[in-house]
Amino acid sequence: MRGSVLGPLTLGLGARSGVPSAMKPRKVLSLLLLHAGRMVPVRSLMAELWGDQPPRTGPTTLQTYILHLRKLLAEVLGMPSAAVARDVLQTRPGGYAMVVGPGRLDVHEYRDLVAEGEGALGAGDERTADTAFRRALALWQGPALVDVTPHGRPLQAEVARLEQSRLTVTERGIETRLRLGGHLEVLSDLASLVVEHRFHEGLYGQYMLALHRSGQRTRALTVYQRLRTAMTQELGLEPSSKLQRLQQAVLVSDPRLDHEAGAPGRGPVVA
């Protein structure tokens, strides 16, 4: 049985799905999968379902949802509900836990690949890091739990954590490709990312650097000016000193901005 949360919620075996159609049980399943192998407290599940004002019948209703999930999983796995309760969706003191085998949940694979990429990057092995980051990002099939809405506070927190991780890994992956001399390759991604994340100075710095290394110094300076205008007009702020230093380096064609493909361990000046 495999499950995914990096996009639409899925859980199943072959063509058989263990995802309920009703939204509240889907929320319960989502939290259990996000914390697979760990106990999710009843209070967290109740907060997800009903916020700060759960009904008096809340605990009983939650138990009904758990029983429904166990029945679905029993059908998917072809095993008795009692066995599912013992081995798959367990009752533990204070809450419930979903037991998922190694490599059976996309978010676990994602985290393992990110850790592999970071370890390789720290060891100066950019090519291995690049492969790991690419594989990690390829697991995403859309926004996390895109079809489980609206999120209560517990799911909001988990989804926000995942989406922040996705953005960070995207930035780390681009940094790695820049180290490998892939400035032309990352231009289209960065052009889209700076539109989506209008005030993300790290992405703007990478975009300016990639443009400069691609022989587009004027465009790099235009990108900086566009960000500065938006920040001063909308936020009343100037770009960071790091980004200002990068702009000055582009203006004078600082040789430290140059990068030979394959040169190990040389990060962007703005980093």
Side-chain angles (χ1 to χ4, degrees):
M1 186 170 65
R2 292 188 61 86
S4 64
V5 296
L6 303 180
L9 172 65
T10 68
L11 182 67
L13 183 64
R16 291 173 289 181
S17 174
V19 177
S21 57
M23 189 53 66
K24 280 188 166 59
R26 290 166 74 91
K27 291 186 173 190
V28 172
L29 178 60
S30 297
L31 275 178
L32 291 170
L33 287 176
L34 285 168
H35 296 276
R38 294 174 288 163
M39 187 271 288
V40 180
V42 167
R43 65 177 180 275
S44 295
L45 293 165
M46 298 268 283
E48 176 59 39
L49 295 173
W50 296 291
D52 296 328
Q53 296 181 320
R56 285 190 304 168
T57 58
T60 302
T61 304
L62 175 59
Q63 289 175 355
T64 301
Y65 294 154
I66 295 293
L67 291 173
H68 177 54
L69 287 172
R70 283 173 175 160
K71 181 180 178 181
L72 266 179
L73 295 173
E75 293 172 357
V76 168
L77 296 170
M79 58 195 297
S81 293
V84 171
R86 183 187 67 239
D87 300 326
V88 183
L89 206 178
Q90 302 173 340
T91 300
R92 295 187 182 177
Y96 301 94
M98 180 75 77
V99 178
V100 179
R104 297 294 179 178
L105 191 60
D106 63 349
V107 70
H108 290 171
E109 186 179 357
Y110 168 76
R111 288 168 178 155
D112 288 345
L113 286 167
V114 171
E116 179 185 341
E118 291 291 351
L121 201 57
D125 185 354
E126 284 88 355
R127 296 201 179 278
T128 297
D130 179 45
T131 299
F133 289 143
R134 287 177 190 262
R135 289 177 60 198
L137 291 170
L139 291 171
W140 287 78
Q141 301 299 310
L145 295 171
V146 64
D147 57 346
V148 182
T149 56
H151 299 147
R153 282 201 310 274
L155 275 182
Q156 281 180 3
E158 295 298 330
V159 166
R161 184 177 294 113
L162 284 171
E163 293 292 346
Q164 180 58 54
S165 172
R166 183 186 190 182
L167 180 58
T168 299
V169 173
T170 297
E171 196 174 0
R172 294 289 272 170
I174 291 171
E175 174 192 340
T176 303
R177 280 182 277 170
L178 285 170
R179 289 189 185 189
L180 290 167
H183 38 271
L184 289 171
E185 179 189 1
V186 300
L187 281 177
S188 59
D189 287 343
L190 285 166
S192 173
L193 285 165
V194 296
V195 172
E196 184 179 357
H197 305 280
R198 295 181 57 232
F199 299 111
H200 195 300
E201 295 189 29
L203 293 173
Y204 270 91
Q206 290 180 329
Y207 192 25
M208 291 169 62
L209 193 61
L211 286 167
H212 174 83
R213 289 177 180 168
S214 303
Q216 302 181 60
R217 189 162 63 110
T218 302
R219 282 193 64 197
L221 295 171
T222 300
V223 165
Y224 173 84
Q225 192 57 48
R226 186 174 69 208
L227 173 64
R228 181 179 182 276
T229 299
M231 289 185 67
T232 55
Q233 290 182 353
E234 299 183 37
L235 305 177
L237 297 173
E238 290 284 344
S240 68
S241 57
K242 285 185 179 181
L243 210 58
Q244 291 181 39
R245 288 197 298 272
L246 177 58
Q247 186 238 9
Q248 289 299 313
V250 172
L251 274 171
V252 300
S253 295
D254 190 321
R256 291 178 299 168
L257 295 176
D258 295 336
H259 186 288
E260 295 181 4
R266 288 184 58 189
V269 172
V270 75

